[in-house]
Amino acid sequence: KKLARRLLFDRSANDDHERSILTKLKQQCGGQFTSKMEGMVTDLTLARENQASFEDYLRNNPAAHPGIDLTVTVLTTGFWPSYKSFDLNLPAEMVKCVEVFKGFYETKTKHRKLTWIYSLGTCHINGKFEHKTIELIVSTYQAAVLLLFNASDRLSYSEIMAQLNLTHEDLVRLLHSLSCAKYKILSKEPNTKTISQSDYFEFNSKFTDKLRRIKIPLPPVDERKKVVEDVDKDRRYAIDAAIVRIMKSRKVLGHQQLVSECVEQLSRMFKPDIKAIKKRMEDLITRDYLERDKENPNMFRYLA
């Protein structure tokens, strides 16, 4: 997931660096472990070539040009993490872009289906404010909200929700980023710091900033906790396997020796936590893989 974010949002140092890390992982964990990640890096190289072909196609078919500069990154489903593809009701300007690219892609292949992941998109739009025009760098979702205000001066929460076909959770994040955070592109009524379903929104034409280009971030969704939980779960199985392997060959072993052998075996993969090892030993005792010596509780026996 982290590699995908680096590659898709251009936060990676460079492709060679990513490839060298993947080579090391491949040597350590085998080709199967890294095949998808290698596919991700290759996908981006192919996507750049595909984008160049798309630009040639638009030059040769000026009537097909959507009037908006469009960059599309085509990815292979099996290589990347699964992303939710919502049925976002795109504004008319964006629908034309999607149709044009679809037309181009069908000239290359008839056997592939395109699924659009709008949550990964970025838009550069010009906000025409009273004081000056400012370029706003926003997500596709934020852009879809802002473009609604080209046609309406004032919209309610429920009107925005109905027009874009979004969930409450997503819409609250979007409207908060545009009306309650650092850059108040939309004015909210009532003027509170939280979003409620009875709120009304207007385009804030008086907004200004000393910069001519600003990036409006979305509040982050904290995935770190889940990642840590998943990693801990995987490591639990690795610790269990190491303890059972050691005890199977040694039959009887002292507590300290078992812990240090376990650390030695696992340190090739990760730095194991001593507390976690002790916890797994207790768990294996309750599951009848090991037992403590009745005379010396610091000695463990393997139960075949």
Side-chain angles (χ1 to χ4, degrees):
K1 279 184 178 179
K2 299 284 182 190
L3 173 64
R5 288 192 77 79
R6 284 201 304 280
L7 294 175
L8 294 175
F9 295 104
D10 210 14
R11 290 181 190 151
S12 181
N14 60 46
D15 285 359
D16 293 339
H17 180 67
E18 298 291 4
R19 283 183 195 278
S20 76
I21 296 285
L22 288 176
T23 305
K24 288 176 187 173
L25 275 172
K26 194 175 189 173
Q27 288 164 354
Q28 192 70 253
C29 309
Q32 208 175 347
F33 182 78
T34 56
S35 63
K36 286 187 178 184
M37 290 184 273
E38 287 173 316
M40 284 158 68
V41 177
T42 306
D43 250 6
L44 283 201
T45 309
L46 296 173
R48 284 192 278 271
E49 291 167 13
N50 195 53
Q51 179 63 22
S53 305
F54 178 52
E55 283 163 14
D56 288 343
Y57 169 83
L58 291 180
R59 272 194 291 276
N60 298 331
N61 300 279
H65 202 291
I68 295 173
D69 290 334
L70 174 69
T71 303
V72 179
T73 308
V74 181
L75 309 173
T76 311
T77 306
F79 294 151
W80 298 78
S82 51
Y83 298 104
K84 289 188 221 163
S85 57
F86 296 105
D87 296 326
L88 170 69
N89 286 343
L90 287 177
E93 301 94 322
M94 292 185 183
V95 171
K96 195 176 179 200
C97 287
V98 168
E99 293 304 325
V100 168
F101 189 82
K102 220 164 153 186
F104 155 74
Y105 202 67
E106 280 168 4
T107 64
K108 290 175 71 80
T109 174
K110 292 270 191 296
H111 310 292
R112 288 183 180 175
K113 180 176 174 281
L114 287 175
T115 305
W116 294 80
I117 314 287
Y118 301 123
S119 57
L120 295 173
T122 305
C123 293
H124 292 239
I125 58 177
N126 288 326
K128 293 180 178 174
F129 302 99
E130 279 178 18
H131 300 288
K132 64 179 180 184
T133 297
I134 299 174
E135 187 183 333
L136 308 173
I137 303 170
V138 289
S139 71
T140 305
Y141 280 50
Q142 288 169 314
V145 171
L146 291 174
L147 288 172
L148 295 179
F149 290 89
N150 281 344
S152 308
D153 293 333
R154 191 168 189 265
L155 290 166
S156 68
Y157 177 95
S158 49
E159 284 170 332
I160 295 171
M161 190 175 186
Q163 286 195 52
L164 295 178
N165 187 33
L166 286 173
T167 62
H168 283 295
E169 190 186 351
D170 283 327
L171 191 53
V172 165
R173 281 181 77 224
L174 292 172
L175 290 172
H176 189 278
S177 71
L178 296 167
S179 64
C180 302
K182 183 180 176 184
Y183 303 114
K184 294 178 174 54
I185 310 300
L186 300 178
S187 305
K188 188 172 87 70
E189 219 179 279
N191 187 10
T192 55
K193 295 229 182 287
T194 53
I195 303 291
S196 75
Q197 293 178 33
S198 56
D199 290 347
Y200 280 84
F201 300 86
E202 284 180 34
F203 178 64
N204 180 11
S205 57
K206 291 187 167 41
F207 174 82
T208 191
D209 194 85
K210 60 178 183 290
L211 300 173
R212 292 208 167 268
R213 174 192 280 191
I214 56 175
K215 186 173 184 179
I216 302 170
L218 269 170
V221 177
D222 188 21
E223 291 173 351
R224 186 176 168 77
K225 194 177 168 204
K226 189 181 181 309
V227 171
V228 170
E229 279 171 11
D230 288 349
V231 169
D232 283 347
K233 204 172 178 183
D234 285 347
R235 286 182 178 180
R236 263 205 319 258
Y237 299 131
I239 295 169
D240 283 358
I243 294 170
V244 170
R245 251 195 323 270
I246 294 161
M247 290 304 295
K248 211 171 189 176
S249 64
R250 304 294 286 274
K251 305 299 183 211
V252 179
L253 206 58
H255 178 277
Q256 202 51 49
Q257 258 182 304
L258 177 54
V259 170
S260 59
E261 283 197 33
C262 201
V263 168
E264 195 182 332
Q265 271 201 22
L266 293 167
S267 58
R268 288 195 300 274
M269 294 185 282
F270 60 91
K271 191 179 174 185
D273 177 29
I274 305 296
K275 280 184 191 164
I277 294 174
K278 289 179 180 174
K279 210 171 176 182
R280 299 319 302 152
M281 282 155 66
E282 293 299 332
D283 188 67
L284 288 168
I285 289 169
T286 60
R287 283 156 57 201
D288 293 333
Y289 281 91
L290 313 177
E291 69 172 3
R292 285 182 192 275
D293 189 276
K294 290 180 177 64
E295 314 271 312
N296 181 359
N298 271 335
M299 292 296 283
F300 291 95
R301 290 177 192 285
Y302 176 65
L303 298 172

